[in-house]
């Protein structure tokens, strides 16, 4: 039996001010807009939502606590890069390709800082995405709303973990 993996975000979990978590709310909400647009096969809405996610991420610039601010700097760079790729995507396929690393960054936000929203978030996984390699995303709602396949396979996948308001995604989630 192996020892449980150490929590790589333990340094930022402790004493995270409510204002810090609240500042993350708009970032997560705009990500969810991208997720819904891709599940709806709406490239234009996904582009607009990704641009709004980039703006919300750029607007949140905490400087304390120091460990949390440093972690946010790394995560925000990842979020902005992938949101930018979606905002300029020429096709749904290209947008969905960038959505996977964007989803991984948002999952890391939920691991490091917890769920900043007043509703549960669900880490969902589709085993068939990307030629059966599989991919995860974060969504609201209990019914699978597949951002990687949209209408063609909207309910393909399963919820792997639910993150209640203020709760943290486990270290194992989406791995």
């Amino acid at each position: 039996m192996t020892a449980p993996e150490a929590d790589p975000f333990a340094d930022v979990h402790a004493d995270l001010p409510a204002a810090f978590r609240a500042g993350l709310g708009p970032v997560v909400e705009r990500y969810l807009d991208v997720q819904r647009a891709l599940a709806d096969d709406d490239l234009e809405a996904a582009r607009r939502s990704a641009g709004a996610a980039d703006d919300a991420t750029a607007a949140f610039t905490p400087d304390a606590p120091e460990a949390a601010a440093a972690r946010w700097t790394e995560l925000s760079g990842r979020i902005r890069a992938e949101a930018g790729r979606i905002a300029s995507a020429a096709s749904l396929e290209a947008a969905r390709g960038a959505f996977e690393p964007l989803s991984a960054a948002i999952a890391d936000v939920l691991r490091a800082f917890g769920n900043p929203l007043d509703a549960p978030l669900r880490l969902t996984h589709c085993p068939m995405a990307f030629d059966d390699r599989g991919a995860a995303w974060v969504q609201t709602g209990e019914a699978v709303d597949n951002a990687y396949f949209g209408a063609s396979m909207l309910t393909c996948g399963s919820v792997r973990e639910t993150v209640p308001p203020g709760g943290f995604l486990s270290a194992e989630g989406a791995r």
Side-chain angles (χ1 to χ4, degrees), residues 3-81:
E5 182 180 327
D7 182 354
F9 300 107
D11 62 333
V12 297
H13 285 172
D15 302 320
L16 189 65
F20 191 104
R21 189 170 290 146
L24 294 169
V27 175
V28 174
E29 288 169 352
R30 299 300 69 81
Y31 163 84
L32 292 169
D33 292 340
V34 175
Q35 182 273 320
R36 286 186 287 270
L38 291 174
D40 290 342
D41 296 322
D42 189 338
L43 179 59
E44 290 307 315
R47 286 180 183 153
R48 281 190 308 274
S49 298
D54 182 39
D55 292 344
T57 303
F60 182 53
T61 58
D63 57 4
E66 190 174 322
R71 176 62 72 178
W72 172 247
T73 297
E74 182 266 326
L75 289 171
S76 67
R78 289 171 50 200
I79 293 167
R80 294 195 69 200

Side-chain angles (χ1 to χ4, degrees), residues 10-156:
D11 62 333
V12 297
H13 285 172
D15 302 320
L16 189 65
F20 191 104
R21 189 170 290 146
L24 294 169
V27 175
V28 174
E29 288 169 352
R30 299 300 69 81
Y31 163 84
L32 292 169
D33 292 340
V34 175
Q35 182 273 320
R36 286 186 287 270
L38 291 174
D40 290 342
D41 296 322
D42 189 338
L43 179 59
E44 290 307 315
R47 286 180 183 153
R48 281 190 308 274
S49 298
D54 182 39
D55 292 344
T57 303
F60 182 53
T61 58
D63 57 4
E66 190 174 322
R71 176 62 72 178
W72 172 247
T73 297
E74 182 266 326
L75 289 171
S76 67
R78 289 171 50 200
I79 293 167
R80 294 195 69 200
E82 300 310 329
R85 286 181 52 210
I86 294 169
S88 63
S91 66
L92 276 169
E93 182 178 299
R96 288 174 170 143
F99 184 69
E100 180 184 21
L102 176 61
S103 294
I106 292 296
D108 282 346
V109 166
L110 298 177
R111 277 186 204 90
F113 308 118
N115 177 357
L117 305 182
D118 292 332
L121 295 173
R122 289 167 177 83
L123 179 69
T124 312
H125 183 265
C126 174
M128 297 179 69
F130 303 108
D131 296 322
D132 297 328
R133 179 173 46 86
W137 70 95
V138 175
Q139 68 171 50
T140 57
E142 294 180 23
V144 172
D145 196 21
N146 193 316
Y148 296 112
F149 284 106
S152 68
M153 292 177 42
L154 189 60
T155 61
C156 180

